[in-house]
Amino acid sequence: MIGEDVFFLSVSEISRLIKRKKLSPLRLAESYLSRIERLNPKLHAFVTVTEDVAIRQAERAEKEQQAGLFRGPLHGIPYAVKDLFSFPGYPTTWGARPFQDQMFEKTATVIQRLEVAGAVLIGKCSMSELAGGPPTATATGACRTPWNLEHWSGGSSSGSGAAVAAGLVPFALGTETWGSIMTPSSFCGVTGLRPTFGRISRSGVMSLSWSMDKVGIISRSAADCAAIFDILQGLDPDDDATVKMPFRVTLTKARERLAGWHVGFVREDYSQWGSREVEGAFKQAAEILKSLGAHVEEVQLPAYDYEAIASTIIASEEASAFEPLVRDGKIDEIIDPDRRGEILGGQLITAVDYLRCQRLRKKMAFDFKELFKRYDLLIGSSTLQTAPPVSATMNEIFPGGNYLEAAENLLGLPGISIPCGFDSAKLPIGFKIIGRTFAESDIIEAAHAYQRVTRWHEKVPPL
Amino acid sequence: MNDMSRRQFAKTFSGSAIFLWCPSKDIGGALFTNEAGTQPEEIAGLVLTGEQHELVRTFMEGYNRMMSSAREIRLENSLPPAIQFVSPQMAREKK
């Protein structure tokens, strides 16, 4: 087996060792599998371990390594996916009781792309049921943050965040419709990239809201996110929303580029909605960006009822996506009663209301286009609190505030959540950098510049 | 924020005995009896159990309250919805 420190190396560091034949992809995969076996009962991060696939893909990577063939930065790198990405031969449960035996013949496009890149699928991660709900609303038990096993890892990409943070896998895929990558990244102290809407294919991925769902990446650094994003992004004939846009990130020039950028920070009412310690860590992060040369100033978001608009759009689209549950009566198997009410009640939202919200969304896009003439980036706290106890209710976890989160998701803007400190309970704190549509390179470069001068993303949980 | 846990919904959907369902945007705030509340469900072709009906009632009450201010905003006639299920590139690609 390999040393404990390898589990917390970045993708690029592991990749270098594989390329130089100093690390066997097969031994690496076996070591991760054994670590998962040891730690997963505490964390509930994995619902399925794809051991046979992992060994097969790792053996292939190893043979190629020995033959001097190197597919690129993900050659032999283990990874996991949220349990809403389809993969034949294994259940895709969507975290929900009615779908515990659900199987698909299709392989999700992103998994196909990662296979071509030489990555090794280790397993499928736990998630909130149908991508939403409180900690206990999942078919496999609340997923824990490795920083404190009594606390939630966040949702809905719960297992993806916990698995990366615990060193069970170097990176994992998740999805976000409204906060589902940012929240677990923040609660688990890892780096999460939510790309622009349409950048990464959702083919073979559970639909919650067709106009808002995005596939994203959770890893240990912004640099890792860049390498993985480069492989995943682009046009896919199986997802009509996808686009092909240039992606040129220059990490070596990240600091130079950040200097001179105008950064708007969104002030939150932490005393009402969050924690003063989160506020303190966010202010320090903003100061660091300033010290790197960015012009940071407070920004006012255009006045919209962001939450009402996002809620109505998602509730309408999910009511359609999950209509079969209503028609066949299986809705009663959904654990969270609020969620049952939303899917049932969503059947009754009028088309006029839905279209009104979509039209307000258009108006919002015009206003943000103006806003981004003055600012290159926006920053805010990823979550206003740290990881809550697993018994917490949604009202306790998300009492309000963070309207930027609804806005950035309605507008399909790219965002990255990065660790920026810990609270007095030693739980991680994250802040986010939001960019213009298709400006993934900007947010990654800014995050990388920050991570070059801080060490929060390198901290290891006490497991 | 957790995708489908919307805080606003969760916050406002705490139980209440009054069902404020309105089938048209023009009669927001109208008070309906519990029995009248079953009509939209029937129109949607739903046959709900008592518990399900209660969940819907709670949801719709909060939803209606939440949407009330959004319904007040005047929108220009020409403002289109922002729905884009097919990217222009993909549309060209498929031709």
Side-chain angles (χ1 to χ4, degrees), chain A residues 178 180 242 244 353 401 405, chain B residues 1 3 7 63 71 87 89:
Chain A
W178 184 355
S180 281
T242 53
K244 185 178 181 185
D353 273 353
E405 190 171 71
Chain B
M1 181 68 185
D3 285 333
R7 64 192 78 139
Y63 161 73
R71 290 189 187 116
S87 76
Q89 273 183 343

Side-chain angles (χ1 to χ4, degrees), chain B residues 2-89:
Chain B
N2 186 292
D3 285 333
M4 284 314 307
S5 63
R6 275 102 54 210
R7 64 192 78 139
Q8 185 86 23
F9 279 14
K11 203 164 51 188
T12 52
F13 290 174
S14 49
S16 163
I18 302 168
F19 185 36
L20 291 172
W21 164 251
C22 54
S24 144
K25 67 189 170 78
D26 295 323
I27 47 174
L31 190 64
F32 285 74
T33 63
N34 201 5
E35 289 68 32
T38 60
Q39 286 175 346
E41 295 168 7
E42 286 165 9
I43 291 165
L46 301 175
V47 181
L48 303 182
T49 64
E51 187 198 354
Q52 289 173 339
H53 177 70
E54 199 59 31
L55 288 170
V56 169
R57 196 176 71 154
T58 308
F59 170 88
M60 292 309 300
E61 182 187 75
Y63 161 73
N64 202 39
R65 193 186 308 141
M66 187 183 67
M67 274 299 291
S68 59
S69 61
R71 290 189 187 116
E72 296 301 315
I73 300 167
R74 283 190 67 84
L75 298 174
E76 279 179 35
N77 167 263
S78 59
L79 182 72
I83 316 169
Q84 195 176 325
F85 293 119
V86 181
S87 76
Q89 273 183 343

